[in-house]
Amino acid sequence: MSPRVFLRPRCDRCNLPQHLCLCAELPRVETRTRILLLQHVVETWKKSNTGRLAALALANSQLLTYGAQDESLDTALLSEPGTWLLYPDGPTSPSDAPAPKQLVVLDASWSQARRMTQRIPALRTIPRLVLPPPSPGMLRLREPTHPSGMSTLDAIARAVAMLEGPEAAAPLERLAALRVQRIADCGTLM
């Protein structure tokens, strides 16, 4: 006889277990920069995923799934003028370049994101926005595998702060901190 597994019901909107649901706390963040989240299919239903929270909070955003067998990616969206890629390394845009109109954010693990940039030609040709490494005191649920590692929500908040100022990013930063605190208070994400 197999052991019974008790799964906690999850919120249909934010995908967190219902006792951790953040839907009532979601801010509505208006940005000039359009955020295009390209979510790896493996991340879609992970409880630890923060890309979905970012998409729910950002008024000027779109969430697309990459890697599903029956779906194809509209790469024309990635080639729109003024599109940049938020990525931890590689060639960056010149400092005198105009700010991006659209920022592509890969919502994936480091290895998945690396493969996505290799497999999607448009991602290799657009300028990159590279964030400085996070401060040592940043609230996290786990240690990153990369020195510049952070959650998708944290990365978007930092990018918005760079592009549009700290006031625009503050609601996203509060949401990220609330998520970490709520999960830490419960002692588990499961």
Side-chain angles (χ1 to χ4, degrees):
M1 184 192 284
S2 66
R4 292 181 75 181
V5 177
F6 294 97
L7 299 176
R8 291 186 175 159
R10 291 198 241 173
C11 173
D12 291 334
R13 189 166 178 235
C14 72
N15 198 42
L16 285 167
Q18 286 181 350
H19 70 287
L20 299 174
C21 176
L22 290 171
C23 290
E25 314 296 332
L26 286 171
R28 191 71 178 155
V29 180
E30 301 285 340
T31 58
R32 291 183 308 276
T33 310
R34 181 171 188 250
I35 307 294
L36 179 63
L37 287 114
L38 192 52
Q39 185 177 66
H40 193 282
V41 69
V42 173
E43 297 293 313
T44 305
W45 294 107
K46 282 187 178 180
K47 290 175 275 208
S48 60
N49 179 271
T50 62
R52 179 190 298 255
L53 284 175
L56 290 170
L58 289 160
N60 192 12
S61 70
Q62 183 176 0
L63 178 66
L64 301 174
T65 303
Y66 170 80
Q69 289 182 340
D70 58 342
E71 293 182 30
S72 64
L73 179 65
D74 180 5
T75 56
L77 287 171
L78 305 175
S79 303
E80 290 180 9
T83 298
W84 289 22
L85 174 65
L86 179 61
Y87 202 74
D89 59 24
T92 59
S93 185
S95 59
D96 61 346
K101 294 178 184 173
Q102 174 173 264
L103 187 63
V104 176
V105 178
L106 304 179
D107 185 27
S109 70
W110 284 104
S111 59
Q112 291 163 345
R114 194 174 324 109
R115 283 191 303 273
M116 288 166 75
T117 57
Q118 293 167 352
R119 293 178 181 161
I120 304 171
L123 295 179
R124 294 191 303 260
T125 61
I126 58 178
R128 294 184 178 188
L129 177 65
V130 178
L131 300 174
S135 60
M138 185 177 207
L139 289 174
R140 301 170 189 250
L141 291 175
R142 59 180 178 257
E143 278 302 308
T145 57
H146 188 282
S148 296
M150 63 190 90
S151 74
T152 300
L153 180 57
D154 286 321
I156 292 171
R158 295 186 76 210
V160 168
M162 278 180 74
L163 297 171
E164 300 189 20
E167 339 46 68
L172 295 171
E173 292 168 349
R174 284 191 296 274
L175 178 62
L178 177 62
R179 178 184 168 273
V180 170
Q181 189 60 53
R182 190 166 288 178
I183 292 169
D185 288 348
C186 287
T188 181
L189 185 57
M190 300 300 174

